[in-house]
Amino acid sequence: SQTIHQWPATLVQPVGSPLSLECTVEGTSNPNLYWYRQAAGRGLQLLFYSVGIGQISSEVPQNLSASRPQDRQFILSSKKLLLSDSGFYLCAWSPPRGADTQYFGPGTRLTVL
Amino acid sequence: GESVGLHLPTLSVQEGDNSIINCAYSNSASDYFIWYKQESGKGPQFIIDIRSNMDKRQGQRVTVLLNKTVKHLSLQIAATQPGDSAVYFCAEGRSSASKIIFGSGTRLSIRP
């Protein structure tokens, strides 16, 4: 069966510091991968998605970036965090075809102080 | 469109009653729809999905209804239990696209 991992689970970072969040998927090949952000009490905002190694689509211009160095690894990064980057970051995967169910990881709670 | 910057509406239901959560989707070309449940501090969990060639699909205690004419989707939960307390999101997508669009979400609160 497929599993998706995210780490760290929680993170507290100062403004201006760098960020690296990691997501890995097991039990599937060539998945579509997604990064979402969720502010407290709000909906899901799609940040990036990837349909293959090195292929990244950005949905919202901001100071975040994403990379997919391996088939089942998706990384969210920032060179300098802003206060507004605080939130709950969720990684998801879906089968490598058109619109299909996305399966979410446990999320990373990021607080920027 | 994307569910950004919207506060969640709340539905309060008596324990044991049926719950109906509604969702209006935006794209008439969407042909795939999903309901997710998100408990506090956790990632969204798949509940049930439906393709546009159907108008009803049933799972365990849940039923999804699709009305393509008015672009409306609903999730019915039978005999609501305390464990059903969560935020529920609908999502829409197209077979030709790689992403899905989430609705704004509804918080389901259970009264004892």
Side-chain angles (χ1 to χ4, degrees):
Chain A
S1 63
Q2 301 86 7
T3 55
I4 178 168
H5 305 279
Q6 286 186 246
W7 64 90
T10 60
L11 190 60
V12 180
Q13 292 286 96
V15 170
S17 64
L19 173 73
S20 181
L21 302 181
E22 189 163 346
C23 171
T24 59
V25 181
E26 296 176 355
T28 186
S29 296
N30 195 30
N32 292 342
L33 297 172
Y34 306 84
W35 277 113
Y36 291 86
R37 177 169 60 201
Q38 187 175 35
R42 308 230 173 167
L44 295 159
Q45 179 185 28
L46 179 62
L47 303 175
F48 301 94
Y49 69 96
S50 171
V51 299
I53 296 174
Q55 300 178 60
I56 308 295
S57 296
S58 176
E59 291 294 297
V60 183
Q62 56 208 323
N63 70 321
L64 298 172
S65 62
S67 61
R68 184 171 178 174
Q70 300 181 48
D71 181 43
R72 290 168 289 178
Q73 184 185 29
F74 205 23
I75 297 172
L76 184 69
S77 304
S78 175
K79 293 181 179 178
K80 287 185 177 182
L81 283 168
L82 307 173
L83 287 174
S84 58
D85 291 325
S86 293
F88 191 43
Y89 287 82
L90 290 155
C91 180
W93 75 273
S94 72
R97 50 179 179 257
D100 206 321
T101 302
Q102 292 182 15
Y103 299 94
F104 285 83
T108 295
R109 175 78 57 193
L110 172 66
T111 303
V112 182
L113 302 175
Chain B
E2 301 268 359
S3 57
V4 177
L6 299 173
H7 290 283
L8 300 173
T10 298
L11 173 66
S12 180
V13 175
Q14 188 79 32
E15 182 178 350
D17 287 352
N18 296 337
S19 301
I20 300 177
I21 301 171
N22 296 304
C23 176
Y25 64 92
S26 58
N27 191 343
S28 58
S30 293
D31 57 10
Y32 180 62
F33 306 88
I34 316 162
W35 280 101
Y36 287 92
K37 173 186 180 182
Q38 186 179 25
E39 296 175 283
S40 181
K42 297 183 179 180
Q45 178 185 11
F46 170 81
I47 301 173
I48 192 168
D49 59 0
I50 189 168
R51 302 235 173 234
S52 60
N53 59 350
M54 302 174 69
D55 53 21
K56 180 179 180 179
R57 192 172 185 207
Q58 290 184 292
Q60 186 177 10
R61 275 202 312 121
V62 295
T63 300
V64 55
L65 298 177
L66 174 63
N67 186 329
K68 296 181 288 293
T69 302
V70 295
K71 294 190 288 186
H72 184 267
L73 191 68
S74 69
L75 177 71
Q76 300 179 4
I77 305 174
T80 309
Q81 303 169 358
D84 295 326
S85 291
V87 176
Y88 290 82
F89 291 97
C90 65
E92 62 178 296
R94 289 176 290 131
S95 299
S96 58
S98 299
K99 60 182 182 179
I100 58 177
I101 305 300
F102 282 82
S104 55
T106 297
R107 185 178 305 280
L108 179 62
S109 173
I110 313 302
R111 302 192 302 272

